[in-house]
Amino acid sequence: MTPPPPPPPGPDPGADSTADPCPGPGSLVVLFGATAGALGPDLGSDETDLILLVWQVVEPQSLQVGTLHKSLVRAEAAALSPQCREASGLSADSLARAEPLDKVLQQFSQLVSRDVALLGGGPYVLCTDGQQLLRQVLHPEASRKNLVLPDTFFSYYDLRKEFHMQHPSMSPAKDLTVATMAQDLGLETDATEDDFGVWEVKTMVAVILHLLKGPSSPLFSKPEVIKQKYETGPCSKADVVDSETVVRARGLPWQSSDQDVARFFKGLNIARGGVALCLNAQGRRNGEALIRFVDSEQRDLALQRHKHHMGVRYIEVYKATGEEFVKIAGGTSLEVARFLSREDQVILRLRGLPFSAGPTDVLGFLGPECPVTGGADGLLFVRHPDGRPTGDAFALFACEELAQAALRRHKGMLGKRYIELFRSTAAEVQQVLNRYASSPLLPTLTAPLLPIPFPLVAGTGRDCVRLRGLPYTATIEDILSFLGEAAADIRPHGVHMVLNQQGRPSGDAFIQMTSAERALAAAQRCHKKVMKERYVEVVPCSTEEMSRVLIGGTLGRSGMSPPPCKLPCLSPPTYATFQATPTLIPTETAALYPSSALMSTTRVPAAPSPVAYYAGPATQLYMNYTAYYPSLIPVGDPPRTVLQAPKEWVCL
């Protein structure tokens, strides 16, 4: 027989040592709870308050039990669901006279400590029927009410799993209930007990005593653990993430941090570095996050928090994939890996820095009262691929207090610019660096300017239409279908979709029509017409305005703005006759294009015609939000015959 464990402090060392030893530590506190809403497997899924706690102490070595206790909890929203009212027999008046949750937890700790001492037990561990009570009810509610739970509520035994460990041939652990466990063991229960919660605890105690009297097995030896703190950390593009562990949360306040997201999922174990806040095309948070949990069981519990609240906002929770998480949070930069290698650091993002600012300037801006971890080594400046600064940087701080001190510098002045500071995450660092580190698709081009394959017809007449608010999934075929009969009036190669800096659709497109009259008619017929549940604005514009937008300018209600560059050669009024040569597009690059899209090396236009240009990498121009995307309509074919450009056609 395995020798008994050393006696805990308090009991007489000479006490009876012939009893069957229990491999678990000390005493078990059998705990049952209920909320004002759903019961059973849906407990906690409706975000209602706890209204009842029932518990009893079991001393495993002597197989003795303590006094059974029952305590009502005052709920902020006293309304009971019909299911709860019928099962519990409670009323709103009885709950209104109960103690609040913090007082009940104090009484719980005092009574449990007293009963454990009377039974001669050691440190105690909670034992519940399933995971919902602690993970889905107590921890989220304590977080909402800013209560600090005792350490004893961060570990527990799941009676269903312990039962299934000794009886693996029975039902799966998730399908077990207190009644089915008692029935499978052949235990007689008091069918006359109608006091809500009391029958459940008495039956759970009977099941535990039966398991303890059974054959020797590692029962109650490895408790479930609830993480007290979210751990930050990096993620690599090479990591393999199980899709059964990832969810997507939508509707987050834009200023939410990874700690705020972890608090929303309080009670559930998030993997290290498992919160990835998503950014939009402009590098700002879009109200979504991908969260990776330690296992599928935690993920399933997270899905039950769909439409739970973060402040006054409800958060939608859906399934996501491991590939999506790695795409957002993964990185390949060694510089970022070294920056994020320091553990337990708080990350802040600085935005709007002067381009000339260096480490000394940033450290001086933050001041000695909030030192950066490692000084200059704790700063990471974000740069374009050619080394130009973007005005963004990240800083590491050793603790939350120092980070809060730094956040008080939000919108403080550095030189003539005010600096924005935000809480950040390792995943956000990876996203921002990945966004700026992406190299152009055609890095081998050496010509200073690359002409658009299909020249735009010159003119200031408003013979074009601009489509705004397109679904991001819209294709050229969708646009032609949207325009209907007006599609017959589109010029050859006249569909131009505007992409953002990452090569994704921006929701804008320009259409060249055969005349200004046709453009006006198309705008009047299709303005605010719906495409895929979105209404699309259709407004007339000129070829010149379209050309400016396609090379990086903007066109708003207040008029047209030039591209964000001072190079005068970007959009010349005219350009010399274009003679294509093999040196302009190298052989290895030409393989990316369909043969019908490439201009012949012997084709020379009869007369010079204005051509819109965008700069190649050699000019060091980086367009902010737009890029050119031609519709490949063979000359002479009807406009409805569309060959979509392959993805490789988009050049950034």
Side-chain angles (χ1 to χ4, degrees):
M1 176 179 294
T2 304
D12 182 7
D16 182 16
S17 60
T18 60
D20 290 339
C22 173
S27 303
L28 299 175
V29 179
V30 181
L31 182 65
F32 173 84
T35 68
L39 303 175
D42 296 327
L43 183 69
S45 62
D46 51 7
E47 212 177 2
T48 52
D49 287 345
L50 185 73
I51 61 170
L52 174 69
L53 282 179
V54 185
W55 68 91
Q56 189 171 21
V57 176
V58 176
E59 215 298 303
Q61 295 198 20
S62 63
L63 300 182
Q64 298 180 13
V65 298
T67 305
L68 190 145
H69 301 276
K70 178 177 179 178
S71 180
L72 295 180
V73 183
R74 184 192 305 167
E76 293 182 356
L80 299 177
S81 69
Q83 180 187 13
C84 178
R85 188 182 298 107
E86 180 181 356
S88 66
L90 298 174
S91 64
D93 293 338
S94 60
L95 293 178
R97 296 190 297 269
E99 295 287 349
L101 179 60
D102 56 341
K103 298 293 185 182
V104 172
L105 293 179
Q106 291 179 8
Q107 297 173 3
F108 170 84
S109 298
Q110 295 171 358
L111 293 174
V112 168
S113 299
R114 187 195 66 182
D115 290 350
V116 169
L118 291 175
L119 295 176
Y124 61 87
V125 181
L126 303 179
C127 182
T128 63
D129 171 34
Q131 306 203 52
Q132 280 78 6
L133 176 59
L134 290 177
R135 293 192 183 273
Q136 298 287 67
V137 178
L138 263 175
H139 280 274
E141 184 171 342
S143 177
R144 292 195 302 269
K145 297 179 178 179
N146 293 318
L147 302 179
V148 178
L149 291 175
D151 291 343
T152 53
F153 287 93
F154 287 87
S155 63
Y156 67 100
Y157 292 110
D158 184 347
L159 183 57
R160 301 184 188 189
K161 293 184 178 180
E162 300 295 331
F163 180 90
H164 188 265
M165 187 185 304
Q166 195 170 63
H167 300 277
S169 60
M170 302 293 185
S171 302
K174 63 179 182 179
D175 297 332
L176 293 172
T177 64
V178 174
T180 57
M181 287 186 286
Q183 182 179 358
D184 292 340
L185 295 177
L187 299 178
E188 295 184 1
T189 59
D190 187 2
T192 62
E193 181 63 69
D194 59 356
D195 194 356
F196 182 61
V198 173
W199 180 88
E200 286 80 359
V201 170
K202 287 183 176 180
T203 306
M204 290 169 65
V205 169
V207 171
I208 291 173
L209 293 176
H210 188 280
L211 294 178
L212 291 173
K213 294 176 183 178
S216 177
S217 61
L219 289 174
F220 304 108
S221 60
K222 187 177 180 181
E224 300 276 332
V225 176
I226 299 175
K227 289 187 176 182
Q228 297 194 31
K229 181 181 178 182
Y230 166 67
E231 301 172 334
T232 62
C235 174
S236 170
K237 289 288 187 184
D239 291 348
V240 178
V241 177
D242 185 2
S243 294
E244 296 300 314
T245 64
V246 183
V247 301
R248 179 184 296 272
R250 297 176 55 185
L252 300 169
W254 67 268
Q255 70 273 28
S256 298
S257 67
D258 54 348
Q259 298 294 338
D260 296 322
V261 175
R263 184 174 183 178
F264 175 80
F265 290 104
K266 191 72 173 179
L268 306 182
N269 291 346
I270 299 175
R272 183 171 180 267
V275 177
L277 299 171
C278 301
L279 306 180
N280 61 20
Q282 288 74 45
R284 300 177 183 270
R285 296 172 187 172
N286 63 1
E288 296 189 8
L290 293 173
I291 301 93
R292 176 189 180 190
F293 294 90
V294 295
D295 54 40
S296 59
E297 186 175 33
Q298 305 292 302
R299 192 282 307 266
D300 293 341
L301 292 173
L303 291 173
Q304 292 185 355
R305 300 199 185 181
H306 179 58
K307 292 195 174 181
H308 283 204
H309 288 76
M310 179 184 289
V312 297
R313 298 175 64 93
Y314 72 85
I315 309 301
E316 300 174 343
V317 183
Y318 303 100
K319 291 182 180 179
T321 66
E323 291 78 8
E324 290 176 308
F325 182 86
V326 172
K327 182 179 180 181
I328 294 297
T332 58
S333 171
L334 294 178
E335 181 184 14
V336 176
R338 285 193 296 267
F339 177 77
L340 298 175
S341 61
R342 297 182 177 91
E343 297 183 357
D344 299 326
Q345 298 290 310
V346 182
I347 306 174
L348 295 187
R349 180 180 180 182
L350 293 83
R351 196 166 60 197
L353 294 170
F355 293 154
S356 59
T360 304
D361 301 310
V362 175
L363 294 176
F365 167 77
L366 295 172
E369 64 275 7
C370 43
V372 175
T373 302
D377 293 336
L379 295 174
L380 178 65
F381 289 87
V382 183
R383 301 183 183 277
H384 288 288
D386 64 346
R388 292 180 300 114
T390 64
D392 278 24
F394 294 92
L396 297 176
F397 295 89
C399 62
E400 185 65 33
E401 290 74 17
L402 294 178
Q404 289 296 334
L407 287 172
R408 287 194 285 270
R409 297 286 292 154
H410 179 59
K411 291 195 175 182
M413 299 299 294
L414 177 55
K416 296 182 179 180
R417 299 180 63 91
Y418 72 86
I419 311 303
E420 298 176 297
L421 286 91
F422 306 96
R423 288 289 300 264
S424 188
T425 68
E428 185 174 23
V429 176
Q430 300 281 24
Q431 286 183 80
V432 173
L433 268 293
N434 290 344
R435 174 173 176 260
Y436 284 104
S438 57
S439 59
L441 180 64
L442 304 179
T444 58
L445 291 177
T446 57
L449 297 173
L450 178 66
I452 293 175
F454 303 109
L456 303 177
V457 178
T460 58
R462 306 181 72 80
D463 57 351
C464 302
V465 291
R466 181 188 186 188
L467 279 62
R468 295 199 312 183
L470 293 169
Y472 294 145
T473 58
T475 63
I476 297 177
E477 289 283 6
D478 295 326
I479 292 176
L480 296 179
S481 177
F482 171 81
L483 293 174
E485 296 179 359
D489 300 318
I490 300 176
R491 290 180 181 272
H493 321 302
V495 180
H496 307 273
M497 299 186 71
V498 182
L499 307 185
N500 62 25
Q501 189 173 4
Q502 286 69 45
R504 300 187 181 93
S506 66
D508 280 22
F510 288 91
I511 312 295
Q512 289 180 279
M513 310 300 289
T514 55
S515 66
E517 292 75 14
R518 297 294 184 181
L520 179 61
Q524 292 175 340
R525 184 182 300 113
C526 300
H527 184 56
K528 292 194 175 182
K529 183 179 173 182
V530 175
M531 179 192 295
K532 297 183 178 180
E533 300 181 353
R534 292 179 64 96
Y535 77 84
V536 180
E537 296 179 354
V538 184
V539 293
C541 67
S542 67
T543 306
E544 180 184 1
E545 292 171 331
M546 177 186 69
S547 302
R548 288 295 182 94
V549 173
L550 291 180
I551 63 172
T554 58
L555 178 61
R557 292 181 175 88
S558 58
M560 180 174 59
S561 300
C565 179
K566 297 181 180 180
L567 294 178
C569 61
L570 278 178
S571 183
T574 59
Y575 195 72
T577 302
F578 173 67
Q579 176 69 46
T581 62
T583 59
L584 180 63
I585 301 181
T587 304
E588 60 272 18
T589 305
L592 298 175
Y593 292 86
S595 59
S596 61
L598 296 178
M599 303 181 73
S600 171
T601 58
T602 60
R603 178 182 176 184
V604 180
S609 59
V611 181
Y613 291 86
Y614 71 92
T619 66
Q620 298 184 355
L621 169 67
Y622 292 83
M623 294 181 295
N624 284 335
Y625 308 116
T626 61
Y628 179 75
Y629 188 97
S631 59
L632 303 184
I633 308 178
V635 178
D637 287 358
R640 292 179 181 274
T641 305
V642 178
L643 303 177
Q644 273 211 320
K647 293 181 179 179
E648 291 81 358
W649 181 264
V650 181
C651 308
L652 289 180

